[in-house]
Amino acid sequence: MSSGDSSLAKVTKSHRGEKSRLSLKAYILSTCLALVAVFAIGILIFGRKSSAQNPTLTVSQAQLRLKNNPEDLKALVSLGIDYFQQGPNFYPQGINSLEEARSLGALDPRIFYYRGLMYQNLGFYPFALKEYQRYLRNFPNDEDIRQREAKLLFQAGRYNDALSEYQRLSYFSPKDPVIKENLAICLWKNHEENPAAGIFSELTKTSSQEGAQRAEFYLGRIDWSQKDYQGAFRHLLKAVPAGNEDIGIPPQKIYFFLAQISQKLGHYRESQRFWKKTLSLDPRDSQAKKELKKVRRFLLAQKRRKQRRL
């Protein structure tokens, strides 16, 4: 039997046309599903982010519908979103309206999105975190909300959970300097200092000026924890703002650590200068006052010893 007449070859020939038709059907089906998904996402984005032309009128319309039917779920959701659009003074009403819609059985995921934003803006962070997590169960790839969730986890001291979120964000946005910086901070907080230092070192070269200075600050903190005081001093000096620019870290905090490290290195005059600078920026810092007195006593005693030798 020749290879051209084998049973496998015959089956392949007889089904080739059928496979082509099946492939075409599969392609059409997958294309339709993709279009439906894009359409659904578009509706969600438009619905959650678009603002009404006249929010007050929309609120009035929703209230009229609710007067006729207090359990009108669409009107409750619309009312809550329109309250959000009117600003922080209306957030409590917006939260209550959306909560009522949810408790009555509304399944609109925008409820979680807007309640999370309003809770966060009002400072109710644990409630905002819960709403964001509910929303992300519906839309796990929403990067903005995932960043908000990660930030709230970090603020709550849940550094390991925050680290997991920033690792996920970093996977999808590996070049985003904000995500990289937050990932490095979470690593540092989880005592993973070497990988954190690697990211911070990269940010000193690739981030903005302010981002590079923040990276230098954290590299200084890492060196401090590893008792490399010379290295810590060099990094922290680079973190000091040249003028009045805001780098995201209070300058008195930078001077505080410079003063402490100067003491560790035995540079008491430098330490005195940095403690004075710290207190000029934060006069209520009791530890800075205490350490400045200690340094002054040491310098005075040192001066007296020199005078005796003469």
Side-chain angles (χ1 to χ4, degrees):
M1 182 183 292
S2 66
S3 61
D5 293 329
S6 69
S7 59
L8 179 59
K10 286 180 181 178
V11 170
T12 303
K13 287 177 181 178
S14 65
H15 288 282
R16 187 172 295 156
E18 185 180 347
K19 282 189 175 181
S20 298
R21 289 192 296 274
L22 288 173
S23 297
L24 179 60
K25 289 180 181 178
Y27 173 77
I28 294 170
L29 179 60
S30 62
T31 302
C32 290
L33 289 172
L35 288 171
V36 169
V38 170
F39 181 69
I41 292 170
I43 289 174
L44 172 69
I45 293 172
F46 178 80
R48 85 176 191 195
K49 293 185 177 179
S50 63
S51 61
Q53 294 296 320
N54 189 342
T56 305
L57 180 62
T58 306
V59 168
S60 300
Q61 289 174 337
Q63 288 173 334
L64 181 61
R65 287 178 60 175
L66 288 167
K67 187 176 181 180
N68 297 324
N69 178 12
E71 295 186 357
D72 186 329
L73 300 183
K74 289 184 178 179
L76 283 168
V77 173
S78 176
L79 184 62
I81 294 172
D82 288 329
Y83 276 134
F84 168 80
Q85 301 288 357
Q86 291 195 54
N89 290 338
F90 294 88
Y91 285 177
Q93 295 99 306
I95 289 170
N96 290 336
S97 179
L98 292 173
E99 173 57 23
E100 187 174 356
R102 189 190 68 82
S103 65
L104 289 171
L107 301 176
D108 192 329
R110 293 178 301 170
I111 292 171
F112 311 130
Y113 177 85
Y114 284 105
R115 276 167 59 87
L117 291 178
M118 288 188 280
Y119 273 133
Q120 185 174 9
N121 279 287
L122 291 172
F124 298 111
Y125 301 130
F127 295 100
L129 179 59
K130 185 181 291 185
E131 298 300 325
Y132 289 151
Q133 289 172 335
R134 287 169 171 169
Y135 176 79
L136 286 169
R137 292 187 194 108
N138 291 276
F139 300 97
N141 295 326
D142 190 312
E143 187 173 310
D144 173 59
I145 297 302
R146 195 162 289 282
Q147 286 201 54
R148 289 175 178 271
E149 181 211 20
K151 183 178 180 180
L152 291 176
L153 286 167
F154 183 86
Q155 289 176 343
R158 295 169 58 180
Y159 302 126
N160 196 49
D161 292 333
L163 174 60
S164 297
E165 293 301 323
Y166 281 119
Q167 285 172 330
R168 175 175 179 151
L169 285 162
S170 181
Y171 178 80
F172 290 105
S173 301
K175 295 183 179 180
D176 189 314
V178 175
I179 292 174
K180 289 173 76 171
E181 180 179 339
N182 289 328
L183 172 62
I185 294 171
C186 287
L187 286 166
W188 172 55
K189 285 289 188 179
N190 278 284
H191 307 291
E192 298 182 49
E193 294 179 336
N194 290 335
I199 297 173
F200 285 131
S201 295
E202 182 184 344
L203 287 170
T204 62
K205 304 177 185 70
T206 61
S207 189
S208 64
Q209 178 63 30
E210 292 80 9
Q213 286 178 286
R214 288 195 300 273
E216 293 286 1
F217 172 80
Y218 288 112
L219 285 168
R221 294 294 308 277
I222 290 171
D223 280 349
W224 164 274
S225 66
Q226 295 176 345
K227 295 183 169 48
D228 178 4
Y229 300 123
Q230 292 284 4
F233 189 80
R234 286 195 301 270
H235 285 301
L236 286 165
L237 272 182
K238 292 178 183 177
V240 175
N244 295 321
E245 69 271 20
D246 181 9
I247 69 166
I249 295 172
Q252 62 266 30
K253 194 172 184 179
I254 303 172
Y255 286 117
F256 184 96
F257 285 110
L258 282 169
Q260 279 194 324
I261 292 167
S262 297
Q263 275 183 255
K264 287 280 187 182
L265 293 170
H267 303 157
Y268 290 98
R269 293 197 180 281
E270 271 191 335
S271 179
Q272 178 178 238
R273 179 166 61 88
F274 288 130
W275 284 127
K276 285 181 178 179
K277 188 67 177 177
T278 303
L279 286 168
S280 71
L281 295 166
D282 185 8
R284 295 176 297 177
D285 190 324
S286 58
Q287 187 174 353
K289 290 178 183 178
K290 180 180 176 182
E291 293 299 327
L292 178 59
K293 287 180 181 178
K294 189 186 298 183
V295 168
R296 280 174 170 168
R297 283 197 299 269
F298 178 87
L299 289 171
L300 181 60
Q302 190 181 57
K303 183 179 179 181
R304 287 171 177 169
R305 284 196 297 271
K306 285 182 179 178
Q307 288 175 341
R308 290 194 199 101
R309 292 193 194 107
L310 295 174

